[in-house]
Amino acid sequence: MEKLIATKPIYYKGKNYVPGEEIPESDAEMVEAWKRAGSVKELPGLENASLKAILKETVERFEEEQAEAAAEKPAEESVKETMKKGKRKNDI
């Protein structure tokens, strides 16, 4: 039996699913939307060892994406912090 695994954070029916977590496949329309968006990965029934390796890889890839996104934001965040303190960019 195939499993649907989150590759990105998903909020569905009042629950947060994190990358690597199995998602219910009861809503075919949502499953199709998640697949089109690249938010899930469909895995065939695998032994636990290989499933754990795939899940670990998925979580690591997600964490790398988050780190890259965070690295791009510091300049933007520092400007916001400066603005909160009442200084202008030219006053720095």
Side-chain angles (χ1 to χ4, degrees), residues 23 27-28 35-36 40-41 49 57 72 78-79 85 87:
I23 305 285
D27 186 342
K35 287 179 184 178
R36 282 193 314 266
V40 295
K41 182 187 268 187
E57 177 186 324
E72 294 172 0
S78 66
V79 170
K85 293 177 184 175
K87 296 180 182 178

Side-chain angles (χ1 to χ4, degrees), residues 31-79:
V31 169
E32 188 60 35
W34 292 327
K35 287 179 184 178
R36 282 193 314 266
S39 299
V40 295
K41 182 187 268 187
E42 213 168 6
L43 301 176
L46 301 170
E47 295 179 16
N48 284 340
S50 60
L51 181 58
K52 284 181 183 178
I54 291 169
L55 294 177
K56 181 179 177 186
E57 177 186 324
T58 300
V59 170
E60 287 173 354
R61 191 174 325 121
F62 172 74
E63 290 172 346
E64 288 173 6
E65 290 173 2
Q66 292 298 308
E68 289 172 7
E72 294 172 0
K73 287 192 176 186
E76 180 181 317
E77 293 299 320
S78 66
V79 170

